[in-house]
Amino acid sequence: MNIDRLVFAVAGFLIVASVLLSVYHSQYWLWFTGFVGLNLFQASFTGFCPLAKILKAAGVEPGNAFK
């Protein structure tokens, strides 16, 4: 897997997990869902993603989006 696919996989998992936590625990978890969504939105314009930087430092192969 390259960085692009890992970022999408982790973001998708975090969104699903926070929605489930908001249903079964507290609605305040939806703030985390919004944070992840806004981070994906800004990354599409700026190319800056903290997780992509961490994965790149860990030696994961970059994809087209986060070179």
Side-chain angles (χ1 to χ4, degrees), residues 17-32:
S18 63
V19 167
L20 289 173
L21 282 167
S22 73
V23 169
Y24 294 110
H25 186 265
S26 171
Q27 290 184 348
Y28 290 114
W29 280 101
L30 292 175
W31 285 103
F32 186 70

Side-chain angles (χ1 to χ4, degrees), residues 4-59:
D4 301 347
R5 290 181 182 251
L6 281 171
V7 166
F8 291 141
V10 170
F13 173 78
L14 290 175
I15 288 172
V16 170
S18 63
V19 167
L20 289 173
L21 282 167
S22 73
V23 169
Y24 294 110
H25 186 265
S26 171
Q27 290 184 348
Y28 290 114
W29 280 101
L30 292 175
W31 285 103
F32 186 70
T33 305
F35 172 75
V36 174
L38 284 174
N39 194 28
L40 285 171
F41 183 71
Q42 71 82 24
S44 70
F45 289 106
T46 65
F48 174 75
C49 177
L51 178 59
K53 294 241 182 236
I54 292 168
L55 291 172
K56 190 173 185 179

